[in-house]
Structure formats: C-alpha cells, structure tokens
Amino acid sequence: MDVDKLLGSLINFLGLVQKVSNLTGVKANMYALEMTMGLVSARKTDISLQLEQEEKRPLKRRKEEIDLWIQHVERWEGQVRELGRDVEGGNFFTLLKLTDRVRFIMTQVEKLHEKGRFDDGLTVDVTPNRGLELQPGELVGQASQTKRNEIWDCLMKEEVLRVGVWGRAGAGKTFLAVHIHDQIVQGCTRFDGACLVDVSQDGTVGTIQTDIAKYFRVLPNLTGESAVYRGAKLREALRGRRFLLILDDVRKSYSLEEVGIALERNGCKLIVTSRSKEVCEQMNCHKLVRIPTPRRNLKGWKKQCKK
C-alpha cells in the first residue's frame, strides 16, 4: 500500500476518532449553553424592569446600546431553543453536525453575558425639550393684541389652571394660541415648554397621549397599550415639569386625568380652543375668553349659515 495513502487514511481515522470523542460531550455542552443563556435572559429581565423604573423619572432616556443588546439577546434566545430541540432529538450523525454550532453559539452567548454588565448605567440625561416654534406670522391689529394679552394674563395668574378660548370658526382662536405657544417656547421662565395638539373631530384620548409624548420625546413607545396604562406612564414621565398644553379645536369634553396630565399651581396649565363655550365649561376652564369673528369674515360666515 502506498505510504501517503496509508498516512492520509490514518489522519482521517484519527479525525473521526476525535469527532466521536467530542460527540460524547455535545449534550453536556448544550446543557452548559442553556445555563449561560438562562443567566443572560434573567439579566435581560432585570434590565427591563430597571429601565421601566428609571424611564419614569423626568428627562431620562435609555441608552441605544441597551436596546441593541436586548435585540441580540432575543435573537440568540430563539436560536438556543431551536438548537436545544435539535440536540435533544438528534441521532449520531445529527449530533456530529451540531458539535461546531454548539460551540459557536456558546461563544456568542458568553460575549452577550460579558457585555450585559452596563457598569456606566442604563440611561442618559435628556435636555429638556421646550417644543418647536410654529411661527404663525405677525399678530396684526389692536383687537388681536388685546385678546392675546387677555389670554396671557390668565396664564400668569397662579390660581388659573385652565383657560377656555372660544369663538366661531375663522375667528382666530388657533392663531392666538400659536402665538402664546411660541412665546413660551422662545423662553418664558414661567414654563419649561409648550405643546399644541390639534384635536379636531377625530381626536381621541389615545391620539392626544401619543402627540404629547412625541412632542416632548418623553416616552419611546406608547403603542399597543391601554389608554389607562398610557396615561399612567405619561403622567409619571411629565412629573415635575411645568408646561402649557394647548388642545386646539376641541369638539367634545376630554378627561385630563385619563390623558395623563396633572394640572397644578406653578406646574402645568391648559388652554382649550373650541367653537363651543359649553365644551370649555365642561372641561372646567376657570377663565373663558371669547374671540369675536372679524368683520371681514362675518359676511362669509352668514352666507355659509344660510346654505
């Protein structure tokens, strides 16, 4: 027999012997992998609970690396479960093929375990967002200035928490509210910021909650949860903040408690703009400011009513 062929056969035989030897430890290695994965999964649960508490504090946001780490953990959790089923029900040849995969996944899971310490904390401080300037245009006319000042004076009174601004369509309620909004965003020290939500006919408690959360970037995700739970999370996230909430074009009464907004002296305040005085009253507005329809719009409004 050719010496080279004999040597090659011997090497192949020794390799097979080594694989058979390793095969006896596949299930033991799989057990060790599942134990390590269990520790990583438990760490993920602890981190999620800790994040839930920390993100309730004002101006706290989870680090992006945390979300990335959790995504990797969930990915490998699925692969470990699938691999465990294959190893448990595998025959000799199946286990022979899985030997290297068990080792590879063990390496990845051990890395996840090592990276899951996060000694520098889970969250970062967020700079307070005062809101965005809406830039409605110049306020023209003495009447508009007077009404704007009347609304502003109401807001500056400590005992007034809710201001109702009502009048016919086209009277300029939204225009005045936006001017108030921008003045606060630009740096009014009485408030930390302002938020304007267009409620209109299709507005719900859920859409109002989502718009406020997005406006101030206080919560990463509010979808898929009940309105009650969203309200509780929003209330906790905004605790300690002094901001003006403007609900624009309100057609029916809403419960601020359900939305998750707590009004208080030296805290948050509310402006409601509506075509209906009754809606403002139903929302317990302490002060009502009527915006008369400008003469240039009055004729058009009367024609519309006749139709």
Side-chain angles (χ1 to χ4, degrees):
M1 179 179 289
D2 187 278
V3 175
D4 291 337
K5 288 184 178 180
L6 180 61
L7 184 59
S9 299
L10 181 60
I11 291 173
N12 291 335
F13 175 74
L14 291 175
L16 181 60
V17 170
Q18 180 64 41
K19 288 184 177 180
V20 171
S21 176
N22 292 340
L23 188 61
T24 59
V26 172
K27 291 192 175 183
N29 289 340
M30 188 67 224
Y31 177 76
L33 170 57
E34 289 173 334
M35 290 288 289
T36 306
M37 189 75 255
L39 291 174
V40 175
S41 296
R43 177 62 177 150
K44 181 192 73 172
T45 300
D46 291 342
I47 285 175
S48 297
L49 291 173
Q50 187 176 343
L51 278 173
E52 186 175 348
Q53 294 301 315
E54 289 193 24
E55 288 183 320
K56 288 180 179 179
R57 297 163 56 194
L59 306 180
K60 287 290 184 180
R61 177 182 62 80
R62 70 178 63 190
K63 295 178 178 178
E64 292 185 8
E65 63 176 312
I66 304 296
D67 277 337
L68 187 60
W69 182 83
I70 290 176
Q71 290 171 15
H72 285 315
V73 171
E74 291 173 347
R75 171 194 170 196
W76 288 112
E77 281 175 334
Q79 296 206 29
V80 169
R81 284 193 297 269
E82 183 179 347
L83 182 59
R85 290 192 293 266
D86 292 339
V87 170
E88 183 64 27
N91 56 33
F92 175 85
F93 295 103
T94 301
L95 294 179
L96 197 63
K97 293 178 181 179
L98 294 175
T99 303
D100 292 338
R101 181 154 181 78
V102 171
R103 288 178 177 174
F104 171 76
I105 294 183
M106 173 62 90
T107 301
Q108 304 307 312
V109 173
E110 286 175 343
K111 289 179 180 179
L112 278 179
H113 189 242
E114 178 67 23
K115 292 180 179 179
R117 294 179 179 177
F118 302 112
D119 296 329
D120 295 332
L122 305 177
T123 58
V124 294
D125 295 328
V126 179
T127 302
N129 181 21
R130 297 189 61 88
L132 302 173
E133 289 189 40
L134 304 178
Q135 299 178 345
E138 186 179 356
L139 197 63
V140 179
Q142 184 59 44
S144 296
Q145 293 281 357
T146 299
K147 288 298 179 180
R148 178 225 163 270
N149 293 340
E150 183 179 351
I151 299 170
W152 185 264
D153 290 342
C154 290
L155 290 177
M156 294 302 110
K157 293 178 181 178
E158 183 180 346
E159 67 276 10
V160 177
L161 303 182
R162 307 182 187 213
V163 180
V165 180
W166 67 281
R168 293 169 178 164
K173 304 180 297 296
T174 300
F175 188 70
L176 291 173
V178 171
H179 267 277
I180 297 284
H181 169 280
D182 277 14
Q183 185 167 352
I184 289 173
V185 169
Q186 290 163 4
C188 171
T189 57
R190 168 60 182 80
F191 295 97
D192 297 327
C195 171
L196 187 146
V197 177
D198 181 10
V199 179
S200 298
Q201 192 166 354
D202 299 327
T204 65
V205 168
T207 57
I208 293 173
Q209 290 170 331
T210 301
D211 286 346
I212 295 172
K214 287 181 178 178
Y215 208 88
F216 287 119
R217 300 195 296 268
V218 291
L219 295 173
N221 188 13
L222 282 177
T223 58
E225 298 173 345
S226 68
V228 174
Y229 189 65
R230 288 197 301 264
K233 291 181 70 174
L234 191 60
R235 187 180 302 107
E236 188 64 31
L238 294 172
R239 189 185 301 278
R241 297 196 63 175
R242 305 175 307 159
F243 71 92
L244 173 66
L245 172 62
I246 301 172
L247 298 182
D248 186 41
D249 196 16
V250 179
R251 310 291 180 88
K252 63 180 181 179
S253 178
Y254 292 88
S255 167
L256 291 188
E257 290 73 20
E258 188 177 356
V259 172
I261 301 298
L263 303 181
E264 54 188 15
R265 295 190 176 191
N266 295 321
C268 297
K269 293 194 176 188
L270 171 72
I271 289 179
V272 174
T273 76
S274 178
R275 301 176 189 180
S276 168
K277 178 182 178 183
E278 288 72 23
V279 167
C280 295
E281 291 174 337
Q282 290 167 7
M283 293 197 65
N284 300 317
C285 292
H286 303 117
K287 291 289 184 178
L288 297 178
V289 178
R290 177 179 175 271
I291 308 300
T293 305
R295 289 186 176 275
R296 62 179 180 276
N297 295 340
L298 195 56
K299 290 183 179 179
W301 182 83
K302 288 180 178 179
K303 288 181 181 179
Q304 187 176 3
C305 289
K306 290 180 180 179
K307 293 179 182 179

